[in-house]
Amino acid sequence: MPRGPKVRQLLSLMILQPGSFVSHENLVDELWGKNPPKTALSTVRTHVYHLRKILSQETGGPLASDLIDTWSAGYVLRAVPEQVDAERFLRLARQGETLLHVGDVAEASRVLSRALEFWNGGALTDVTCGSVLMQHVQHLQEVYMRALQQRIDADMRLGRHGRLAAELKSLVARYPLNEWLHGQLITALYRSGRRGEALCAYQELRGILQEELGLDPSRAIQQMQQVILSGSDESELLHPSNRSWTGPHSGPHSGPYSGADMGRLHDVSWRAVHCP
């Protein structure tokens, strides 16, 4: 990554909008918020000058400086979406969602899994994010969580309950307030013939919610417990694609990549941009 935190911020903002115009105003807002110094614009220009030099050194040629076009009110990073891992992630996530909606479940699982491979621990964790970058990071987090849910949904439909149970145990241990994930774990365990473990998973969720929030599981999760206690057919469990039962405890602050737990897209950095 280029040297200097502000240079990293500038390039990260351009990388997340490849081929799009990024205004001086947005760059200034990103670096200083609502109280920029009088020299903000000239400082931005200086940072971009150094950024061009760094790109030229790192990519091994004078043409690298041409990656950044100067416009009267901002800059454009001359990169196509396929050169940026964040854009590839978003494209695959959209493609996987479409496949799931049209009923091609196996292919949806494959494509969504490919999308999730780009997520490697956090989005821009090595970059200081101002208000503008944070909006992009939050959007990536939301898309990631949706893609993860849809891939779990697809795998559940494909009968991969045993494998999902192991994954979901890890997820709920790390993100204990995400009720949606707990519900999927309960479902996967029961459909794997592990009725006792499914009931234990319900009790664990109930204990966490009562201790942390003073709340009981959502009504739909409680209905799942009743299905398991009665030994009813597993088909009576709510289908994992139904989002209506996620409850009030699975909002944006309880998802896997909320707050300080931001995910990091693999190589969303200057290395994702190549000379034409």
Side-chain angles (χ1 to χ4, degrees):
M1 199 67 164
R3 295 177 288 275
K6 292 192 181 300
V7 174
R8 294 185 182 202
Q9 282 178 266
L10 291 181
L11 183 55
S12 296
L13 190 55
M14 293 182 193
I15 283 177
L16 292 177
Q17 302 174 78
S20 299
F21 173 75
V22 182
S23 69
H24 289 143
E25 181 180 2
N26 273 356
L27 292 170
V28 169
D29 283 348
E30 170 60 26
L31 295 183
W32 295 283
K34 300 304 180 183
N35 297 299
K38 294 180 180 179
T39 59
L41 186 54
S42 63
T43 301
V44 165
R45 289 172 176 151
T46 300
H47 288 323
V48 172
Y49 168 77
H50 288 299
L51 178 55
R52 285 193 172 106
K53 290 184 63 176
I54 292 169
L55 286 173
S56 181
Q57 293 169 3
E58 297 290 351
T59 56
L63 293 178
S65 61
D66 296 334
L67 281 170
I68 301 175
D69 284 342
T70 300
W71 290 27
S72 60
Y75 303 93
V76 174
L77 182 67
R78 292 179 58 240
V80 297
E82 283 302 308
Q83 291 175 294
V84 180
D85 284 352
E87 291 295 324
R88 295 168 66 191
F89 161 74
L90 292 170
R91 179 182 60 79
L92 287 169
R94 289 192 295 267
Q95 181 182 348
E97 181 173 16
T98 298
L99 288 166
L100 190 61
H101 285 170
V102 300
D104 193 345
V105 181
E107 183 64 8
S109 174
R110 187 188 69 81
V111 172
L112 289 166
S113 295
R114 283 183 57 202
L116 296 172
E117 289 173 359
F118 285 98
W119 197 274
N120 185 28
L124 303 181
T125 54
D126 57 349
V127 177
T128 300
C129 293
S131 60
V132 182
L133 265 182
M134 187 57 66
Q135 291 178 9
H136 289 280
V137 170
Q138 289 172 347
H139 173 65
L140 290 172
Q141 292 169 354
E142 291 170 0
V143 176
Y144 172 85
M145 191 59 198
R146 182 172 179 82
L148 177 63
Q149 289 181 335
Q150 290 172 338
R151 201 227 73 221
I152 291 172
D153 181 349
D155 285 350
M156 194 79 78
R157 296 191 199 183
L158 293 169
R160 299 169 179 171
H161 308 130
R163 187 178 74 182
L164 279 172
E167 177 186 4
L168 287 162
K169 281 186 176 182
S170 176
L171 287 171
V172 300
R174 187 173 180 185
Y175 313 109
L177 294 182
N178 190 306
E179 191 173 7
W180 189 90
L181 292 173
H182 281 277
Q184 301 312 295
L185 174 59
I186 294 168
T187 301
L189 289 169
Y190 189 55
R191 290 181 176 176
S192 299
R194 298 152 71 177
R195 182 184 178 195
E197 290 182 64
L199 289 171
C200 286
Y202 171 84
Q203 292 300 333
E204 288 176 7
L205 170 62
R206 183 171 180 270
I208 289 169
L209 293 179
Q210 288 187 337
E211 181 177 352
E212 297 293 332
L213 303 175
L215 297 171
D216 288 323
S218 64
R219 181 176 299 177
I221 293 284
Q222 294 181 44
Q223 291 173 348
M224 291 175 65
Q225 183 207 27
Q226 294 304 312
V227 169
I228 297 170
L229 286 171
S230 66
S232 300
D233 188 271
E234 64 182 43
S235 63
E236 295 188 29
L237 290 176
L238 210 58
H239 194 277
S241 64
N242 189 332
R243 299 289 181 261
S244 65
W245 60 270
T246 55
H249 323 309
S250 57
H253 297 293
S254 61
Y257 294 93
S258 59
D261 294 320
M262 289 189 300
R264 182 171 187 264
L265 287 177
H266 176 63
D267 280 341
V268 181
S269 67
W270 65 273
R271 294 184 182 88
V273 182
H274 311 289
C275 291

